[in-house]
Amino acid sequence: KAGVTQTPRYLIKTRGQQVTLSCSPISGHRSVSWYQQTPGQGLQFLFEYFSETQRNKGNFPGRFSGRQFSNSRSEMNVSTLELGDSALYLCASKPSVLNTGELFFGEGSRLTVL
Amino acid sequence: AQSVTQLGSHVSVSEGALVLLRCNYSSSVPPYLFWYVQYPNQGLQLLLKYTTGATLVKGINGFEAEFKKSETSFHLTKPSAHMSDAAEYFCAVSEESNYQLIWGAGTKLIIKP
């Protein structure tokens, strides 16, 4: 079974630009969560999607948005990039929002904002 | 609100020594408890989890953790450290009420030769 796939793995942007990151969950998993990981703040929950609907949201500004498609693939977008958005963005999937079990993580997309 | 505390942002042990990574949580109801590991330049993967039943949980790579309700702790141990154990370890807690994971800040495990 293929794991969680995130693209791109690395990217460099400049302040003010926007970025879109993609996540393909494990086949059959319908819940996709996004996290931001930085050395100073650790793992910060961004949002969770299930059946194309945002089910939970973390405490991030509106510049951070996401969506989920009917095949469960998800994208997140960050507009008007700031230096502080430099981070590793992790996607994780699980079968359902009602599942308290294991989260399966991708390898992440490392964003550098210059 | 639920919170998770991992004592020590960095823990250094010699190869072959005991590994002990501490995790305490705040919860008024029995939680679900997890330890994840993150190797350099990789995502997180599950080491072990406690949901119900036996309080001593065995995971991958020789790690185990014990759920102690009276101490609200879920410390991770391994009898003998290997160089390959160098990684960052995260403790997480969830409650059945909302299924969301609350994460600790992580502990970087350093193995000295």
Side-chain angles (χ1 to χ4, degrees):
Chain A
K1 211 181 210 182
V4 177
T5 303
Q6 290 189 246
T7 57
R9 288 292 314 278
Y10 302 91
L11 66 167
I12 300 173
K13 294 284 188 179
T14 56
R15 278 180 298 174
Q17 286 187 311
Q18 73 164 12
V19 66
T20 299
L21 308 177
S22 178
C23 172
S24 293
I26 289 173
S27 177
H29 285 193
R30 297 171 62 196
S31 167
V32 174
S33 297
W34 288 90
Y35 289 85
Q36 182 194 65
Q37 186 179 22
T38 59
Q41 298 295 318
L43 271 173
Q44 302 281 312
F45 172 72
L46 281 155
F47 25 65
E48 179 181 17
Y49 285 88
F50 178 76
S51 292
E52 302 177 64
T53 302
Q54 188 179 91
R55 299 294 173 144
N56 293 290
K57 188 178 190 306
N59 189 24
F60 277 82
R63 299 186 297 109
F64 292 81
S65 63
R67 59 178 175 168
Q68 187 180 34
F69 302 95
S70 58
N71 62 357
S72 295
R73 191 177 71 84
S74 177
E75 289 181 347
M76 67 162 284
N77 183 277
V78 188
S79 62
T80 320
L81 283 166
E82 301 176 0
L83 295 178
D85 296 332
S86 294
L88 180 66
Y89 290 88
L90 291 165
C91 168
S93 74
K94 60 181 182 178
S96 161
V97 285
L98 301 180
N99 187 295
T100 318
E102 179 179 359
L103 276 178
F104 294 82
F105 283 83
E107 293 188 311
S109 293
R110 186 168 294 281
L111 170 65
T112 301
V113 182
L114 302 176
Chain B
Q2 183 75 272
S3 66
V4 178
T5 303
Q6 290 185 240
L7 189 62
S9 60
H10 293 76
V11 169
S12 180
V13 303
S14 299
E15 193 173 16
L18 171 72
V19 175
L20 171 60
L21 303 182
R22 299 177 189 273
C23 173
N24 288 87
Y25 63 91
S26 65
S27 176
S28 58
V29 298
Y32 297 100
L33 297 155
F34 305 83
W35 276 99
Y36 282 80
V37 60
Q38 185 179 32
Y39 297 104
N41 298 315
Q42 293 187 26
L44 283 73
Q45 67 178 91
L46 184 71
L47 262 182
L48 49 81
K49 64 181 178 183
Y50 169 80
T51 52
T52 58
T55 56
L56 182 62
V57 181
K58 294 188 185 300
I60 62 172
N61 300 337
F63 284 92
E64 61 182 35
E66 186 171 10
F67 168 53
K68 291 187 176 180
K69 185 179 176 183
S70 61
E71 298 177 8
T72 59
S73 69
F74 192 55
H75 301 331
L76 181 71
T77 60
K78 181 173 181 178
S80 176
H82 294 169
M83 295 300 292
S84 60
D85 294 328
E88 190 159 18
Y89 293 80
F90 293 89
C91 180
V93 174
S94 77
E95 291 178 341
E96 193 172 350
S97 59
N98 60 18
Y99 304 101
Q100 284 301 299
L101 285 179
I102 307 300
W103 296 88
T107 297
K108 276 207 172 100
L109 178 62
I110 301 160
I111 311 296
K112 296 179 290 187

